[in-house]
Amino acid sequence: MTVIEADMNRKPDVPSLDHSFSDPRALRNTIQTVLLWIVALLASVPLFSVLYMLITRGGARLGWEAITALPPAGLEMGGGFGNAIVGTVVMVGIGALISVPLGVLGGLLLGAIAPSSRMSDAVRFVAKVLTGFPSILAGVFVYAWLVLGMGTYSAFAGGVALAVRMIPTVMLTAEQAVRMVPQRMKDAAFGMGCTQTQVALRVTLPTAMPGVLTGVMLAVAGAAGESAPLLFTALFSNYWIGSLTEPTASLSILIYNFSGMPFPNQIELAWAASLVLVLIVLVFNILSRLIGARRV
Amino acid sequence: MVSLNTVAPAAASPRPGLSETGVAIDARVEKIYYGDFLAVRDSHVAVEKGQITGFIGPSGCGKSTVLRSLNRMNDLIPSFRLMGSVTFLGQDIYAKSVDPVVVRRHIGMVFQQPNPFSMSIYENVAFGLRLNRFKGDYDEKVETALRKAGLWNEVKDKLRQNGLALSGGQQQRLCIARAIATNPTVLLMDEPCSALDPIATRIIEELMLELKQEYSVAIVTHNMQQAMRVADKTAFFSVDISKGGRTGFLVEQGDTRQIFHDPREKLTKDYISGEFS
């Protein structure tokens, strides 16, 4: 007889520690766990069915020609959407060139330099409103301001419209990242004889960099998938981009145009373009998580 | 005499007032306020050259507040106000013409919580040198500072590793190396061992005794034995709660031996006998 058995024999009222479904608490726990699993699976049905459709229908057409050739005319066979990939990359690039410096410096102001000033309160409020703003209004705004002003649809106008969408995302995530930098690290920098600007640029920003880059990647992924802001700023083009001041193709607008056409070839291309777009968004989302995970 | 209202000196220039004896910092604090709250009153403390001055006293007695006034770290708190004067080698550091940033480059600081930057060990130590646009051999300066901080042998093979990956005691020595890399005249230490275990504390204490050969050191500690072990001079603060506030003030300052064995004031005697009985 072991010591424990001896102990139990002496005290018959020792509680049982085993699982028991007759206990109402344990029963409720099991039911709720099962329910949550079912709801989670239901919630992922749309996601996986979209992915499944994209892969089966878009994957069939995805190939070297599809991603390098120009779009086909009406009843023509073959062709691709190489110009739309280039156009999307160029316009998202322009959007990032504008939104990253503005957004990161803005986030630094909100998070580190003057977190509770009236200026910051106003900027933060506007940025939050802007994240929930219908994206087509970004397009209307740039149409009225740039397209009419320049007299032409252009990649530049498209990039600016995307930047309008990206700035709040970059700025608000940068603010959060900057706020996470411990005060004692900033104290150390001040103690070394840093000016406020030096603390912000040499210590706060580098420390917050993984979080800042996460925001940038998310903004890029979001902008790559935008269609409304491009609809009447960049318009569309069937040709390779020649300059930043001419109408430019993008994946999202190509999908919109081709999926409504009566030609099976174009509809297949729209599916393939959708798959490419999702892959681009996915890559940037994964990058953002990898960068975010590097946080100390 | 060192000027506090121009840009900081090159890190390599000889430090002012090195060999003489005398007072490095002379603080005549009349009152320190945070907003309407009177935090410290009537405290005249001196940090002597080439010696370790310990600030001791119960919690809330203002010893950290006074220490942080010595290099204008308290300026970062918007409601902070100081009445009185603090002179560093004869110059009033609260004078209008003085740039607090320059003051902090002469009077370095080590904090309670080890606070290395999230960058490599090497860059942590080189940080102040880069800040001062030091032109010269960074490798040598970094090695010297790490050697003085007694950390070189432990980190020489991983200088590119992030400073935050070190243990707490190593991080604190890294912060000391970072602070002394630019050759400040005075080193202020705000409870530098309170977040460390006894072994790491011992190492830092031995380090302080070596550092005083070259630097004037002021250390806040809540550990009286630590003050006895390392401090040459000791300033004892107490806290006055008579008028509903909590106002710290200096009770007395003197040689550490005298403060602990033959205190002039009854407050000191009571505190020390309470601590050791």
Side-chain angles (χ1 to χ4, degrees):
Chain A
M1 194 185 276
T2 66
V3 179
I4 290 172
E5 277 164 350
D7 203 27
M8 287 182 68
N9 287 344
R10 214 171 37 248
K11 286 197 280 179
D13 54 344
V14 169
S16 161
L17 300 177
D18 298 338
H19 270 297
S20 157
F21 288 109
S22 58
D23 176 4
R25 187 204 54 76
L27 195 64
R28 275 203 305 277
N29 180 38
T30 310
I31 291 171
Q32 281 167 4
T33 308
V34 170
L35 268 178
L36 282 176
W37 270 104
I38 292 172
V39 172
L41 285 175
L42 278 179
S44 50
V45 164
L47 175 67
F48 283 103
S49 50
V50 166
L51 275 180
Y52 175 77
M53 257 173 112
L54 278 178
I55 291 168
T56 51
R57 302 192 63 168
R61 187 60 192 275
L62 197 59
W64 184 248
E65 191 192 5
I67 60 171
T68 54
L70 285 175
L75 289 165
E76 199 184 328
M77 292 315 286
F81 41 81
N83 63 334
I85 296 179
V86 173
T88 290
V89 168
V90 167
M91 286 189 284
V92 171
I94 293 172
L97 275 181
I98 298 170
S99 65
V100 170
L102 284 181
V104 171
L105 291 178
L108 210 49
L109 174 86
L110 298 188
I113 300 204
S116 48
S117 68
R118 284 170 70 181
M119 164 92 167
S120 289
D121 290 343
V123 170
R124 193 179 297 118
F125 177 73
V126 169
K128 280 181 179 161
V129 169
L130 218 50
T131 48
F133 222 49
S135 62
I136 195 154
L137 290 182
V140 174
F141 161 67
V142 174
Y143 176 80
W145 176 47
L146 271 182
V147 177
L148 293 183
M150 290 167 68
T152 172
Y153 298 101
S154 65
F156 179 67
V160 171
L162 290 181
V164 173
R165 295 292 295 156
M166 294 166 81
I167 288 173
T169 311
V170 175
M171 186 146 69
L172 294 175
T173 40
E175 182 198 359
Q176 286 309 316
V178 162
R179 277 178 184 274
M180 299 285 282
V181 175
Q183 183 59 41
R184 59 194 162 92
M185 239 178 236
K186 297 179 217 166
D187 280 348
F190 280 117
M192 298 288 299
C194 282
T195 61
Q196 181 147 40
T197 317
Q198 285 169 327
V199 175
L201 294 181
R202 285 169 182 250
V203 174
T204 310
L205 190 56
T207 309
M209 199 42 96
V212 171
L213 288 179
T214 302
V216 170
M217 293 299 148
L218 286 177
V220 165
E226 286 280 8
S227 54
L230 299 177
L231 211 49
F232 28 74
T233 52
L235 205 65
F236 190 71
S237 153
N238 280 316
Y239 308 101
W240 293 103
I241 179 171
S243 79
L244 297 181
T245 53
E246 62 184 32
T248 303
S250 59
L251 281 171
S252 49
I253 302 296
L254 178 131
I255 294 164
Y256 170 74
N257 284 346
F258 278 20
S259 60
M261 284 187 178
F263 313 115
N265 185 32
Q266 268 80 349
I267 291 177
E268 277 179 25
L269 280 177
W271 278 107
S274 307
L275 182 58
V276 169
L277 191 52
V278 166
L279 289 177
I280 292 176
V281 172
L282 192 67
V283 163
F284 277 101
N285 268 310
I286 291 173
L287 278 180
S288 79
R289 308 217 56 180
L290 289 181
I291 295 168
R294 272 202 352 230
R295 246 173 267 218
V296 182
Chain B
M1 177 170 289
V2 52
S3 165
L4 296 180
N5 37 32
T6 56
V7 183
S13 67
R15 282 169 305 124
L18 186 61
S19 55
E20 316 137 45
T21 54
V23 177
I25 298 179
D26 191 38
R28 292 167 190 270
V29 175
E30 286 162 22
K31 286 183 170 67
I32 293 177
Y33 284 99
Y34 292 119
D36 294 332
F37 175 70
L38 178 61
V40 179
R41 64 167 170 82
D42 308 318
S43 300
H44 176 191
V45 288
V47 178
E48 308 216 9
K49 289 176 187 165
Q51 298 204 331
I52 298 179
T53 305
F55 291 15
I56 62 169
S59 299
C61 68
K63 52 194 190 295
S64 282
T65 298
V66 170
L67 188 84
R68 292 165 81 95
S69 303
L70 303 185
N71 70 343
R72 294 193 62 173
M73 277 302 282
N74 278 332
D75 287 28
L76 301 174
I77 300 165
S79 61
F80 167 81
R81 264 184 313 136
L82 179 137
M83 293 168 174
S85 73
V86 177
T87 58
F88 167 59
L89 302 175
Q91 286 182 89
D92 184 358
I93 64 168
Y94 283 91
K96 272 221 162 58
S97 59
V98 167
D99 181 352
V101 167
V102 180
V103 171
R104 295 180 202 131
R105 292 190 186 183
H106 290 284
I107 305 175
M109 186 140 197
V110 175
F111 295 80
Q112 184 169 0
Q113 291 281 336
N115 52 5
F117 299 130
S118 176
M119 49 179 87
S120 71
I121 293 169
Y122 185 98
E123 284 304 321
N124 260 288
V125 183
F127 186 88
L129 299 171
R130 296 199 197 285
L131 203 61
N132 288 304
R133 299 187 192 199
F134 170 68
K135 302 258 186 303
D137 191 348
Y138 275 79
D139 291 355
E140 185 215 315
K141 284 272 175 191
V142 169
E143 180 177 340
T144 310
L146 283 169
R147 276 189 192 285
K148 280 190 203 164
L151 192 59
W152 175 250
N153 284 327
E154 289 158 67
V155 301
K156 64 180 179 217
D157 298 322
K158 47 180 182 182
L159 292 172
R160 298 286 155 203
Q161 200 179 314
N162 193 304
L164 291 170
L166 296 172
S167 74
Q170 288 174 325
Q171 286 190 16
Q172 194 61 301
R173 276 179 284 153
L174 178 60
C175 293
I176 293 173
R178 180 178 67 188
I180 60 182
T182 52
N183 258 347
T185 308
V186 181
L187 203 53
L188 307 178
M189 304 176 111
D190 189 357
E191 298 192 28
C193 301
S194 65
L196 305 181
D197 66 62
I199 295 170
T201 300
R202 241 302 129 45
I203 295 172
I204 303 270
E205 284 179 9
E206 283 163 12
L207 181 55
M208 282 190 256
L209 293 173
E210 276 170 39
L211 288 177
K212 76 169 181 179
Q213 316 293 329
E214 290 183 63
Y215 308 92
S216 313
V217 180
I219 173 179
V220 165
T221 177
H222 57 209
N223 179 335
M224 309 256 283
Q225 285 86 347
Q226 181 168 63
M228 281 180 80
R229 284 192 295 264
V230 300
D232 301 296
K233 297 275 162 60
T234 296
F236 173 67
F237 290 80
S238 189
V239 55
D240 177 4
I241 49 173
S242 60
K243 283 169 235 147
R246 288 187 66 87
T247 302
F249 61 99
L250 178 76
V251 178
E252 62 178 308
Q253 177 174 21
D255 287 337
T256 300
R257 263 197 78 78
Q258 176 255 310
I259 294 286
F260 281 94
H261 294 105
D262 182 23
R264 282 189 297 271
E265 301 290 330
K266 184 171 182 307
L267 270 171
T268 319
K269 188 183 269 172
D270 291 349
Y271 185 71
I272 287 169
S273 59
E275 187 78 19
F276 285 94
S277 58

